Amino acid sequence: MTKKIVYLSVAVISLLFVISCEKDFREIGGNVISNNQFDTKQITLEVVMTDSIVDAVRADNVGIGSLGEYLLGIYNNPDYEKIEASIISQLALITNPRTAEVTSNDGDDDVDSIYVFNQAVLEIPYTSTALDDEADGKPKFRLDSLLGNSTIPMTLEVHRNGTFLNTLDPNNPSDQNSYMSDADYIETELLNDDPGFTFTPDPTDTLYVLDRELSTGATFKDTIKLTNSIPFLTVPLNKTRMQELFWDKFGDAEFTTQNDFNNYFRGLILKTEGADGSMVPLSLGTNAPRVKFYYTITTLDEGVVKDTIVGNYSFNFAGVTNSKYKMTAPQNPVPSNSIAIQGTAGSMAKLQILNGTELQDLRSQNILITDASLVFNIDASRDTTKVPLRLLLFKNNKGNAEQIEDSYTEPLFYGGGLTDDDEGKPKEYTIRITDYISNLVTGQSDDNLPLVLKVYNNPTDASIINNFIQTEVNTYNWNPRGVTLYNHEATNGENRIKLVISYSEEKDN
């Protein structure tokens, strides 16, 4: 697919739209017409709304640098597909990791610093918000955007990845590579210290107590905290195997360059499985997950211990980093008069508007379209506690997903956001497609294309990014929320999906 990008400032777009509107207004009947010569009317047209199957979505960072969020865990809402989310990532090579230091003393090489490898762990900082401190002064946090039941333990397996993660398409090296959310990866070996490791995301997990060991055999406890004491998960890894794979090979050719390292150690697979649990969003910014190797250094002076230094080597998640979504059918079937819309690799809906002779009927009238809105009412018989805050409507142009023009000509009015009722409960979504309908009615466009409704993914679904109009809709989606909407069935009455068109027509003289 060729990506179409147009550069225009928002101000210029708005100005052109105003000029266009004024031109349409004046050309009706071939004369400049004042408001008192118009009647304003409204019609409601039927819309056919059906399921649109999603097999997988794009789930790599090759083309965009980083996914906005990486999901880890399990989200099992019985009204929607169960999601088991895993992460696959390369590691960033660090510069010159040492396991010994040698200095010259009277012409002889003597080891004056003895390194002792203490432990290897996977460290995963949670995405969190700092709250007011506890009464005793300890920091207090809230885990952000957590979905599901965080009291249910989840299995977390850390596997050595055996699939080479390539940024270029192996079949056509001139193109970028891509990975879908259902891609398969080779699990070479399990690296957990405890093969049955489980966790529950907890905002009070702000420290990890580590057993340190000196070259003399003495041990002591060390408390590990992150910057600003943010909460994090620690997964102990198999010390013997991590020493063989990393510590004992730091000076070998495999650790010379990033490419050498990527060929040797192809990354990690963080795999969650289970019947239920919670979905944890993670970031790959400054608080990216990492593998840490903790060590102590005993400094000797003529054989006498002079100092003890503690340290760690950190291999951050970097390079190609992908998500994997294992989807399972919902426990509760979707009612026949409704359609489920769910993010990640969940489900979408296909819409057909202006059916039969409706478009021809509109074209035969001398009218000016002033507003055209699709109204989607929420089926409150299904769970509405974690519905999407926004939906996106786009065109299916012979298999190519394209933005509707209103998304960039009228971005402030296009809509798609959730509206609550008077009691604060989720009620409906409204999307305005005035320019799209107007272009069809005036004959400027003859393409009455199928439309597709999906959960909005921020920021990849934005139609304007840095003043560039993005006409192509990408398949990325890391928003796991779902909502059930009434379809076009007559049994839904006023709650059925509808296209409401407001227009002005010239009065009869």
Side-chain angles (χ1 to χ4, degrees):
M1 184 188 304
T2 301
K3 188 169 185 178
K4 305 173 185 176
I5 302 178
V6 182
Y7 178 75
L8 283 176
S9 71
V10 175
V12 172
I13 293 170
S14 301
L15 177 59
L16 290 176
F17 177 69
V18 170
I19 293 172
S20 175
C21 287
E22 290 179 350
K23 181 179 179 183
D24 292 341
F25 185 80
R26 287 171 171 80
E27 287 183 349
I28 294 179
N31 297 298
V32 177
I33 302 171
S34 61
N35 286 337
N36 60 12
Q37 292 177 280
F38 276 83
D39 282 331
T40 300
K41 297 182 180 181
Q42 186 180 87
I43 56 173
T44 299
L45 301 179
E46 300 301 314
V47 178
V48 178
M49 182 177 180
T50 55
D51 288 312
S52 180
I53 303 302
V54 178
D55 294 322
V57 296
R58 187 166 176 179
D60 64 86
N61 67 333
V62 174
I64 60 176
S66 177
L67 303 186
E69 286 182 339
Y70 287 86
L71 303 178
L72 182 67
I74 303 165
Y75 183 44
N76 189 10
N77 185 321
D79 286 340
Y80 301 97
E81 294 184 51
K82 184 178 78 169
I83 310 170
E84 295 170 273
S86 302
I87 301 173
I88 302 88
S89 181
Q90 295 175 324
L91 301 178
L93 178 66
I94 62 174
T95 303
N96 193 27
R98 301 177 182 179
T99 58
E101 287 187 38
V102 178
T103 60
S104 177
N105 183 15
D106 295 329
D108 295 324
D109 289 338
D110 295 325
V111 175
D112 67 351
S113 294
I114 302 175
Y115 286 66
V116 177
F117 171 43
N118 300 141
Q119 188 177 22
V121 304
L122 171 66
E123 186 177 270
I124 305 176
Y126 290 120
T127 303
S128 60
T129 298
L131 306 175
D132 292 336
D133 290 346
E134 301 282 8
D136 58 2
K138 293 181 180 179
K140 184 178 180 180
F141 294 89
R142 178 189 69 240
L143 301 187
D144 295 338
S145 304
L146 198 68
L147 296 180
N149 189 339
S150 60
T151 66
I152 299 176
M154 296 178 290
T155 298
L156 177 55
E157 297 178 352
V158 182
H159 292 270
R160 182 182 181 184
N161 173 39
T163 302
F164 183 74
L165 302 178
N166 202 334
T167 59
L168 300 177
D169 185 347
N171 298 317
N172 188 358
S174 63
D175 292 339
Q176 284 187 336
N177 204 5
S178 63
Y179 296 85
M180 302 303 286
S181 59
D182 60 351
D184 292 323
Y185 301 90
I186 300 171
E187 299 172 1
T188 302
E189 58 182 316
L190 184 66
L191 297 177
N192 295 60
D193 185 51
D194 175 9
F197 180 87
T198 62
F199 78 104
T200 55
D202 189 342
T204 65
D205 285 341
T206 57
L207 58 86
Y208 175 68
V209 178
L210 171 70
D211 289 323
R212 295 277 195 180
E213 182 179 354
L214 304 178
S215 61
T216 60
T219 61
F220 63 97
K221 302 288 186 182
D222 188 13
T223 300
I224 307 299
K225 294 183 180 181
L226 302 188
T227 303
N228 298 323
S229 297
I230 63 172
F232 63 101
L233 171 66
T234 302
V235 185
L237 302 178
N238 185 292
K239 181 179 178 180
T240 300
R241 190 63 181 130
M242 295 303 287
Q243 180 166 345
E244 294 170 348
L245 290 171
F246 283 80
W247 188 265
D248 291 343
K249 295 181 68 66
F250 279 161
D252 294 350
E254 291 89 340
F255 287 78
T256 304
T257 69
Q258 185 68 56
N259 285 337
D260 292 330
F261 179 63
N262 288 343
N263 286 323
Y264 163 65
F265 193 85
R266 299 183 173 183
L268 294 177
I269 301 172
L270 309 189
K271 181 179 178 180
T272 55
E273 289 185 321
D276 205 350
S278 54
M279 187 64 70
V280 183
L282 303 176
S283 169
L284 254 71
T286 56
N287 288 318
R290 52 260 189 171
V291 175
K292 279 191 172 181
F293 293 81
Y294 289 101
Y295 60 85
T296 56
I297 304 174
T298 303
T299 302
L300 305 176
D301 184 4
E302 296 183 355
V304 179
V305 175
K306 302 297 294 184
D307 196 9
T308 298
I309 302 171
V310 298
N312 70 80
Y313 295 130
S314 182
F315 291 75
N316 288 13
F317 278 32
V320 179
T321 306
N322 305 336
S323 288
K324 183 178 177 69
Y325 307 136
K326 179 182 176 182
M327 312 297 294
T328 306
Q331 300 173 40
N332 301 330
V334 181
S336 60
N337 65 327
S338 299
I339 300 288
I341 310 293
Q342 185 179 8
T344 57
S347 52
M348 303 187 295
K350 183 171 68 175
L351 282 65
Q352 189 64 55
I353 63 173
L354 300 178
N355 299 293
T357 63
E358 290 174 343
L359 179 55
Q360 289 74 15
D361 293 342
L362 290 171
R363 284 177 170 178
S364 67
Q365 303 175 58
N366 188 21
I367 63 175
L368 172 67
I369 305 296
T370 57
D371 185 86
S373 297
L374 285 163
V375 182
F376 304 90
N377 284 286
I378 295 174
D379 183 351
S381 70
R382 309 273 283 180
D383 179 63
T384 61
T385 56
K386 296 294 182 180
V387 299
L389 299 180
R390 186 176 176 184
L391 302 179
L392 176 74
L393 188 71
F394 62 90
K395 298 180 291 187
N396 180 0
N397 188 359
K398 299 177 181 179
N400 296 324
E402 298 178 354
Q403 295 279 4
I404 292 178
E405 42 265 53
D406 293 78
S407 68
Y408 49 84
T409 59
E410 289 286 344
L412 298 180
F413 304 101
Y414 177 58
L418 174 66
T419 300
D420 293 336
D421 62 18
D422 294 338
E423 297 179 357
K425 297 178 180 179
K427 178 186 178 183
E428 65 185 19
Y429 301 87
T430 300
I431 298 178
R432 289 182 171 83
I433 54 173
T434 308
D435 284 358
Y436 179 68
I437 296 297
S438 181
N439 290 339
L440 288 171
V441 172
T442 61
Q444 184 175 339
S445 171
D446 290 322
D447 297 325
N448 183 18
L449 300 170
L451 305 179
V452 181
L453 187 69
K454 60 172 284 192
V455 172
Y456 185 89
N457 192 67
N458 185 38
T460 58
D461 283 340
S463 60
I464 301 175
I465 301 178
N466 296 327
N467 285 340
F468 282 88
I469 295 176
Q470 311 284 336
T471 60
E472 178 186 343
V473 177
N474 294 300
T475 64
Y476 296 103
N477 202 299
W478 50 80
N479 186 340
R481 296 179 179 233
V483 65
T484 304
L485 306 173
Y486 288 111
N487 63 15
H488 59 276
E489 296 290 340
T491 55
N492 292 327
E494 288 302 310
N495 285 325
R496 72 188 186 283
I497 180 177
K498 57 183 76 76
L499 172 61
V500 181
I501 298 178
S502 298
Y503 63 93
S504 295
E505 65 177 0
E506 189 176 1
K507 295 179 181 179
D508 294 331
N509 293 326

